[in-house]
Structure formats: structure tokens, C-alpha cells
Amino acid sequence: MTRLNKTLFFLICTAGVCTTLAYGTVHQPVIALFYLFVSILGVLWAAESFLSGRLLFSRSVLQIPLLLLGIYAVVQVIPFGTAAAEGGIEGAARTISLDPFATQVVALHIFALCIFFAIPLVVIDTAGRLRRICNVITLFGFLYAFYAILQSVLSPERIYGIYKPFAGVPFGSFVNKHNYAAIIEMAMAIPMGLIFVGAIRTEKRLLYVVAIVLMGSSLLLSGSRGGLVALFAEIILIIILTSRAKGRKNLVLKVALSSLLVAAAIGGAIFVGGDTSLTRFSETATSDDISSSRIHIWGVTLKVISYNLPLGAGLGAYAQAYTRYDPSGGYERVEQAHNDYLQIVADAGIVGLIIGALFLFWFFREGIRNASGSNTFRRGVAVGAFAGCFAILIHSLFDFVLHITAVSVMFLTLIAILVASGREYDDDIDEFDQTRSKRRRSATVTSIEGKQVKTP
């Protein structure tokens, strides 16, 4: 294993951490640094392929939808003819996108994510690396949740005690609490999958339980209702995946364990105090300002979809298209649909719908197949990664979490982990099963007058 390969793996392990801590990588200067980071990854990847004499590339079909979306964004800015004169402006190129520049920016971003996604699919090539990246995500989730809880108590209005957003109350390193919840949903899914499958040795279980409870408490404390719904969906999926064909007793134990974890997380959130996602369920689903209400936004988005079928208004052009069909005063600029499914159809039309359907089909096929593997550790990883990504897909019904760079990076990392969990490796060691095997052997072998005999 070359130094370049080790460097690539190290950078992949730190990508989700760095993009999250950098305010979620939503500001333009930080996004520019992310592009530089991806460029460095690409150069190292190309150099490693050149030096090894073979193209290092994964055949996972889950890369195809993201690549197709980037290609379609390019198609949407190709000029065909001249638009009719409007507002005294003549000779403007006609494109599918209502905002060609915004679509070009989105295309660049998607291709950067394509390059990033392709690399962990290649470098997570041993069971040891799979274990290490899962440990990094679990440890980061624990420490990040601990910091977020402290910040909510000591400095709730400032990120890192320095940056105060213009609007809203931040949580963790995010201006938007829903994005924090999205990161934690994914981070806590990995240890939950390992715990429920039984891939953690007895002496380590308490550490994992503490990490899960702390992350769950911070999610509740963030006040994200979409995050709470996604968390429950995540837990239900894990129970389903780990209780099939194992009897009613096993199912009851899993439900009891889930209930205890949720109760502990709620208790932790109540102990810390403050507004939580549970208390926010008593609030109305709409706000006083109709221009920022989800119900109103979704209604206008449906108009955007109907008026721009079949090709869409253009990726990144949602804000431009929304203004045309907003019947309200539009006191606030609406740039996202607060529903990633509606927005992909609004932006990319029927093409976006087909691409999204392809991704969901391949994703669920990969997840269900790998979550039923024979190796206990890799099965636990598969269950966790599958459930974490599933939670984001549920959360996307209420928010625009996948439009945030840090969330997208962590989401793609979990998908790469899911794919990697379905492979067999030369260094595959089922630590938990191996420990049980040793105990079983030691229990059946006794010493009688210096001789070892097996007892029935």
C-alpha cells in the first residue's frame, strides 16, 4: 500500500469532519477551499493510478445518477436560438435554465462531488480501513455532539463563540439546526448498526451506547422536527433489518433497546434544558409569514413544476423560477423548496425524476443486499450506513439538507461505506464471533492430570 494511497484514505476520513466544522461549507470562500481540496484528491488519485499502472476506479452504479445530473446541468445551459426581447433586452441566448450562471455553478459543484465520491469507493479496500473510517465517524459524532450541547448552553447565539448569524439560532457549527441534525443522524447510525447486529464486544458496548445517547440528546436539543422524524425512521429500519427471521424474542429485545436509547436521549435533552424537537411538535406547522411557510412554498413549487415540465427550470435556478409564481408579497427570498424531491423535479423536470428514481432503486438494492451479509462486522456497518442514508432521505421530505455541502459529503461517504461493506477482504476478521469462539473452546477444554480432554 503506497503513501499516496494512505494519504488519499486519510483525506477521505477527514473530509466529512472538516466540511462540517467549516460552518457546513456553505459560504463561497469555504466552498472554494472545498474545490481545491477535491482538486488535490483528484491529482493524487490520478498519480496513484499512473504509478500503479492501472486505473483505480469503482464499478458501483451508484455513481451514475450523480454523474448524469451533472451532465444534465451542462445540457441546461447550452444555448439554442435567441430569446424574445424582454424589458428592452434583445439577443439573449435561449437556454433551458432560467438562470444559466446559477446552473453552471451547480454543475461545477456536482462534478466536484462526483470526483469526491469516486475516491472512497476505491480507497476503502480493506476491512481494516472500513473499521477505521467507521471509528472516525463515531468518534467525531460523539465529540461534535458534546461540543454542540456545550455551545447551546454557554453561547447559544454564536458559533464557536465568534460568529453570530444574521438570522436564526445556530446549533453546532451550522447556522441551520436542521443541517446539524442531518449530520448527527448519519454519525449515530454507524454505532447503532454495530450494536444492534452484535458486532461490538461486551467491554466496548457501554462506550458505544454513551456515544449514541449523547448524539441523540444533541439532536433532540437542536429542535429539528424533521431530524426527529428521520431519527425514528432510522431506528425502525435498523430494527427491521436486524430482527428478520430471528423470532419474536429478538424483536422485543431490539424494540426495548431502542426505547431505552430514545428515553436516555430524551432524558439527556431535558436535563440540559432548552427548546427541543419534542416541544416544537406542539407548534403549528406554518409560520406567521406566509412567504416562508413550507405549505406555501410547496404549493408554489408545484406551480413551478407544472409550468416548466418536462425539462425543468434549471438546476440552481429555483429562486428565479419561484419568484414568477409566488402570489404573496415575497418578503423573504426563497431559494430552496424545503423538500429535495420537489426541488429536483422543479429544477430538472422529468429527467431529474428519472435520475432520482434510478438512484433510489440502486441504493435500496445495495442496502438490502449488504445488510444481510454473513460477516457480523460488515453486516453491522452495512445496516448503520444504510439506515443513516435512509434517515437523510426521510429528512429531505421536510428540508433541503442534501443541498448543504457538508451533509452531501457525509452522505456520499456513508454510501461508499455501504458499498465497501458488501465486499470480502483478505483481512476480514469477525472480532466478536472470534471472541465467542475462543470462549467456547476454552469452556470445553479442561486439564486433567496435565492432559487436555474435551468435555461434552
Side-chain angles (χ1 to χ4, degrees):
M1 198 170 292
T2 66
R3 289 185 178 179
L4 278 178
N5 196 282
K6 292 179 180 178
T7 301
L8 280 170
F9 178 70
F10 172 78
L11 292 176
I12 289 299
C13 286
T14 59
V17 176
C18 294
T19 52
T20 298
L21 296 180
Y23 302 111
T25 312
V26 295
H27 302 91
Q28 291 303 324
V30 185
I31 291 177
L33 290 176
F34 172 69
Y35 293 156
L36 177 62
F37 173 79
V38 172
S39 300
I40 294 172
L41 283 177
V43 170
L44 294 177
W45 181 27
E48 173 68 8
S49 297
F50 176 77
L51 293 175
S52 64
R54 58 191 179 90
L55 179 62
L56 301 176
F57 190 77
S58 170
R59 295 182 179 179
S60 173
V61 294
L62 286 168
Q63 300 172 95
I64 297 176
L66 191 61
L67 183 61
L68 289 177
L69 195 63
I71 292 173
Y72 187 57
V74 173
V75 171
Q76 287 183 318
V77 298
I78 296 176
F80 58 96
T82 304
E86 185 175 352
I89 301 176
E90 299 181 359
R94 177 182 297 171
T95 60
I96 296 173
S97 174
L98 300 177
D99 189 347
F101 176 76
T103 304
Q104 290 174 15
V105 172
V106 170
L108 173 64
H109 197 76
I110 292 174
F111 286 131
L113 291 174
C114 284
I115 295 173
F116 171 81
F117 185 34
I119 296 173
L121 287 170
V122 171
V123 299
I124 306 178
D125 55 358
T126 66
R129 285 188 167 182
L130 185 61
R131 187 174 294 106
R132 283 193 289 274
I133 195 169
C134 289
N135 289 339
V136 167
I137 292 174
T138 301
L139 180 61
F140 168 67
F142 170 74
L143 295 176
Y144 186 48
F146 181 72
Y147 159 75
I149 292 174
L150 283 180
Q151 177 180 277
S152 69
V153 175
L154 302 176
S155 180
E157 296 183 352
R158 294 181 182 272
I159 301 176
Y160 305 133
I162 301 172
Y163 174 56
K164 183 177 181 179
F166 294 106
V169 178
F171 204 87
S173 57
F174 290 93
V175 173
N176 189 324
K177 59 194 174 188
H178 305 295
N179 299 328
Y180 171 84
I183 290 292
I184 291 299
E185 291 158 17
M186 292 183 282
M188 69 186 296
I190 296 294
M192 284 180 65
L194 293 170
I195 284 283
F196 275 72
V197 165
I200 304 299
R201 287 182 291 184
T202 305
E203 62 270 21
K204 293 183 179 180
R205 287 178 188 171
L206 182 60
L207 295 175
Y208 278 75
V209 168
V210 170
I212 293 168
V213 169
L214 189 68
M215 286 187 269
S217 297
S218 72
L219 189 151
L220 293 174
L221 198 61
S222 72
S224 171
R225 289 172 292 189
L228 180 63
V229 173
L231 174 61
F232 282 121
E234 176 178 285
I235 293 173
I236 292 171
L237 180 63
I238 290 177
I239 292 174
I240 292 173
L241 292 174
T242 58
S243 301
R244 291 179 301 174
K246 292 185 179 180
R248 182 178 299 178
K249 183 179 179 180
N250 182 268
L251 177 61
V252 171
L253 288 174
K254 296 292 173 61
V255 172
L257 176 59
S258 302
S259 301
L260 287 174
L261 290 174
V262 171
I266 293 173
I270 294 174
F271 176 78
V272 174
D275 187 31
T276 70
S277 50
L278 288 171
T279 60
R280 291 192 71 242
F281 260 110
S282 62
E283 299 175 2
T284 177
T286 59
S287 64
D288 293 334
D289 181 7
I290 195 173
S291 67
S292 61
S293 162
R294 279 181 174 80
I295 302 299
H296 174 73
I297 291 173
W298 294 342
V300 177
T301 302
L302 291 175
K303 293 181 181 179
V304 173
I305 292 173
S306 62
Y307 282 104
N308 290 278
L309 284 177
L311 302 178
L315 289 159
Y318 177 81
Q320 179 83 5
Y322 183 92
T323 305
R324 294 188 178 189
Y325 308 108
D326 185 5
S328 68
Y331 299 110
E332 295 182 6
R333 178 179 171 86
V334 178
E335 297 185 354
Q336 309 290 348
H338 292 270
N339 183 310
D340 285 332
Y341 301 95
L342 287 178
Q343 186 155 348
I344 190 64
V345 181
D347 288 354
I350 299 298
V351 177
L353 183 63
I354 294 172
I355 291 173
L358 278 176
F359 169 77
L360 291 176
F361 172 75
W362 284 328
F363 166 73
F364 279 101
R365 185 183 65 176
E366 187 84 19
I368 293 171
R369 180 176 60 204
N370 294 351
S372 58
S374 58
N375 181 277
T376 305
F377 170 73
R378 286 192 283 105
R379 185 168 72 251
V381 170
V383 168
F386 185 29
C389 293
F390 177 72
I392 294 300
L393 295 177
I394 295 297
H395 199 158
S396 292
L397 289 168
F398 314 104
D399 292 300
F400 51 93
V401 289
L402 284 175
H403 283 73
I404 306 302
T405 305
V407 178
S408 297
V409 167
M410 188 68 79
F411 182 76
L412 293 175
T413 302
L414 256 64
I415 291 180
I417 290 173
L418 176 63
V419 173
S421 68
R423 308 188 192 115
E424 293 184 357
Y425 303 101
D426 293 336
D427 62 335
D428 261 336
I429 297 177
D430 204 328
E431 292 182 353
F432 187 70
D433 284 352
Q434 188 182 58
T435 302
R436 287 191 299 183
S437 171
K438 289 180 179 178
R439 289 175 181 172
R440 191 181 302 113
R441 286 197 299 270
S442 64
T444 58
V445 177
T446 59
S447 177
I448 301 178
E449 295 181 353
K451 297 180 179 180
Q452 290 186 332
V453 296
K454 291 186 177 180
T455 61

